Amino acid sequence: DVKVTQSSRYLVKRTGEKVFLECVQDMDHENMFWYRQDPGLGLRLIYFSYDVKMKEKGDIPEGYSVSREKKERFSLILESASTNQTSMYLCASSSPQGAGDTGELFFGEGSRLTVL
Amino acid sequence: AQSVTQLDSHVSVSEGTPVLLRCNYSSSYSPSLFWYVQHPNKGLQLLLKYTSAATLVKGINGFEAEFKKSETSFHLTKPSAHMSDAAEYFCVVTYTGGFKTIFGAGTRLFVKA
């Protein structure tokens, strides 16, 4: 069964702390994504990666960075957490179907982050 | 600009009655269309997808959707709702020729006993 695993389901951090959210997929997918989900705002793309060591900014990259050192792992980093980064974070992966088409997305269970 | 509109933010049905969740999209290209379901504090799970094959698509848990190009719609239906169907549903569109996925705002489905 295909799987995207987010290592932390629930985290509580303090303002200013550095936060790592880890995501691992076992489907050998080229593309990986980080979204955040907030009530009334839907899913918003933070960063994505289409290859190892490659990254692209999404719609709301400010305050975040990412790392993709291995194909199966895509990490989201909050260098200095702030209260407005309290949210549900969803990782997803996909395999390209054609010229730039993202195809079906496979999601992890989500990481709910609370910043106090 | 490409967009996805889920016409209802909330839908409430009684158990055993039909479900209709509506989705319209705007497109300049040939889209791939998906419906995902999200239960509380969970990730999104694929219900079904349309990728230019049959216009009537069958998914998991008895859901199906019909792609109507003339109406630019991809409505999700189920003949008989079950309590376990209570969740949030997202219509999602991806476009060929561009690295772009667009999510609808979501429709929360309530199922009454």
Side-chain angles (χ1 to χ4, degrees):
Chain A
D1 205 12
V2 297
K3 205 156 177 127
V4 177
T5 302
Q6 294 182 232
S7 55
S8 303
R9 292 294 319 278
Y10 300 93
L11 305 94
V12 179
K13 298 292 182 181
R14 298 219 172 264
T15 301
E17 280 192 81
K18 191 169 186 175
V19 181
F20 292 87
L21 299 179
E22 303 285 342
C23 175
V24 176
Q25 51 95 4
D26 64 0
M27 296 165 280
D28 201 35
H29 283 164
E30 289 84 355
N31 306 326
M32 296 189 74
F33 307 81
W34 275 106
Y35 292 89
R36 65 177 282 177
Q37 184 178 25
D38 301 286
L41 297 176
L43 275 82
R44 294 179 290 169
L45 181 64
I46 305 171
Y47 266 97
F48 64 94
S49 168
Y50 52 87
D51 202 352
V52 176
K53 296 193 185 295
M54 306 300 289
K55 60 184 179 184
E56 296 287 341
K57 293 180 180 179
D59 300 317
I60 52 162
E62 296 78 19
Y64 302 94
S65 62
V66 290
S67 172
R68 186 138 182 230
E69 295 297 316
K70 294 184 177 182
K71 189 175 185 180
E72 67 271 17
R73 187 180 298 270
F74 192 36
S75 302
L76 181 69
I77 303 155
L78 289 66
E79 294 289 342
S80 178
S82 63
T83 55
N84 64 11
Q85 292 179 310
T86 291
S87 186
M88 170 72 117
Y89 291 88
L90 292 167
C91 175
S93 71
S94 75
S95 183
Q97 288 185 326
D101 192 345
T102 59
E104 176 185 344
L105 292 168
F106 294 83
F107 284 87
E109 292 276 272
S111 298
R112 185 165 292 283
L113 172 67
T114 301
V115 183
L116 302 174
Chain B
Q2 297 110 351
S3 65
V4 178
T5 304
Q6 291 185 241
L7 295 161
D8 307 291
S9 59
H10 299 84
V11 169
S12 181
V13 301
S14 296
E15 192 173 23
T17 64
V19 176
L20 170 64
L21 305 182
R22 299 180 294 167
C23 174
N24 284 98
Y25 66 94
S26 67
S27 172
S28 302
Y29 309 99
S30 298
S32 295
L33 296 153
F34 306 83
W35 276 99
Y36 288 82
V37 60
Q38 185 181 31
H39 289 92
N41 293 310
K42 295 284 190 179
L44 277 70
Q45 179 188 12
L46 181 72
L47 274 180
L48 49 81
K49 61 182 175 182
Y50 167 78
T51 54
S52 77
T55 56
L56 182 63
V57 182
K58 294 190 183 298
I60 62 171
N61 300 334
F63 284 94
E64 62 182 38
E66 186 172 7
F67 172 69
K68 291 187 177 179
K69 187 174 181 178
S70 60
E71 298 176 11
T72 60
S73 69
F74 190 57
H75 301 334
L76 181 70
T77 60
K78 183 173 180 177
S80 176
H82 191 272
M83 295 297 288
S84 61
D85 295 328
E88 188 149 25
Y89 292 79
F90 292 92
C91 182
V92 179
V93 183
T94 66
Y95 294 92
T96 58
F99 204 89
K100 189 68 175 175
T101 298
I102 300 178
F103 288 83
T107 298
R108 186 165 294 278
L109 177 65
F110 298 92
V111 182
K112 298 174 290 187

